[in-house]
């Protein structure tokens, strides 16, 4: 299934020099994870006040790109420099859920956007990540399958906020995009559960 996760290996290859640079300066994987969470909180604040300060919309696409980079860096550093810990795994999983909530809940403040759709969007984001974790519990492999995983959601919302910065998009179109994302997240969640169950049968 098509997903931004499919390009992750190429993205990681570009970041390897940065990982080495940060490691030799004493930066840890957990510090990068916490930085990503704090960044997401800042993005959420910016998005919440974007109806007052329009330029705050730019926080989202720029911040989501930086968040994706930090998420890739912390995993690479943890694996590459023997920094994998149970605390790091907890921070990583809880951090992803918190980050999504920080960033996506403020979407309700965009004029005309359906509160109900945003509630479903945020709720399914959490459920989708939970389905990914279940893969590790029952099949011993964390699932990242799309078509609307963490990176895919970030791409859609980032592009949406970027477009909103330059043009006035009618609420009906925004709600349609959110609704489509919800539908794709449902599919993604079922795919993750299905593949986890298949993985479990191989053990």
């Amino acid at each position: 299934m098509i997903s931004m996760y499919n390009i992750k290996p190429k993205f990681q290859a570009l970041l390897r020099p940065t990982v080495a640079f940060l490691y030799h300066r004493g930066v840890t994987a957990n510090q990068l994870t916490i930085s990503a969470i704090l960044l997401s909180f800042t993005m959420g604040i910016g998005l919440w006040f974007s109806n007052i300060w329009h330029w705050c919309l730019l926080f989202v696409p720029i911040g989501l790109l930086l968040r994706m980079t930090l998420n890739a860096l912390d995993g690479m550093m943890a694996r590459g420099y023997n920094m994998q810990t149970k605390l790091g795994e907890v921070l990583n999983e809880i951090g992803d859920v918190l980050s999504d909530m920080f960033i996506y809940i403020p979407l309700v403040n965009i004029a005309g956007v359906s509160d109900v759709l945003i509630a479903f969007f945020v709720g399914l984001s959490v459920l989708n990540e939970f389905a990914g974790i279940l893969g590790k519990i029952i099949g011993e492999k964390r699932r990242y399958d799309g078509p609307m995983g963490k990176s895919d959601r970030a791409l859609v919302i980032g592009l949406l906020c970027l477009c909103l910065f330059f043009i006035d998009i009618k609420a009906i179109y925004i709600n349609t995009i959110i609704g489509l994302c919800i539908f794709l997240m449902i599919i993604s969640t079922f795919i993750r559960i299905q593949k986890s169950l298949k993985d479990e049968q191989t053990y």
Side-chain angles (χ1 to χ4, degrees), residues 53-197:
W53 299 299
H54 187 71
W55 54 270
C56 286
L57 283 169
L58 286 178
F59 279 1
V60 181
I62 296 171
L64 284 171
L65 180 60
L66 183 54
R67 174 197 166 193
M68 185 169 65
T69 302
L70 289 170
N71 285 339
L73 287 171
D74 68 0
M76 293 173 66
M77 184 172 288
R79 291 186 297 271
Y81 294 99
N82 196 29
M83 293 184 182
Q84 291 176 303
T85 63
K86 292 186 181 298
L87 174 60
E89 189 169 2
V90 169
L91 285 173
N92 189 57
E93 296 295 351
I94 291 181
D96 284 343
V97 172
L98 285 176
S99 293
D100 278 1
M101 293 175 67
F102 287 150
I103 298 167
Y104 301 141
I105 288 176
L107 289 169
V108 300
N109 228 23
I110 297 177
V113 173
S114 169
D115 294 355
V116 174
L117 286 176
I118 297 304
F120 272 104
F121 184 89
V122 174
L124 283 167
S125 295
V126 175
L127 182 61
N128 189 242
E129 293 307 305
F130 179 69
I133 297 170
L134 277 178
K136 192 168 185 178
I137 296 172
I138 65 177
E140 298 188 11
K141 180 181 180 182
R142 213 298 190 178
R143 304 302 315 188
Y144 295 96
D145 308 271
M148 192 51 62
K150 177 180 66 178
S151 298
D152 306 303
R153 295 191 294 271
L155 176 64
V156 171
I157 299 304
L159 288 175
L160 178 61
C161 289
L162 185 63
C163 291
L164 281 169
F165 177 77
F166 290 105
I167 58 177
D168 183 22
I169 304 175
K170 292 184 178 180
I172 188 171
Y173 297 125
I174 301 175
N175 288 328
T176 300
I177 292 171
I178 299 298
L180 179 59
C181 288
I182 288 171
F183 175 71
L184 293 175
M185 267 192 282
I186 292 172
I187 294 176
S188 175
T189 301
F190 274 108
I191 288 174
R192 292 185 180 192
I193 294 172
Q194 183 184 44
K195 289 191 175 184
S196 295
L197 290 172

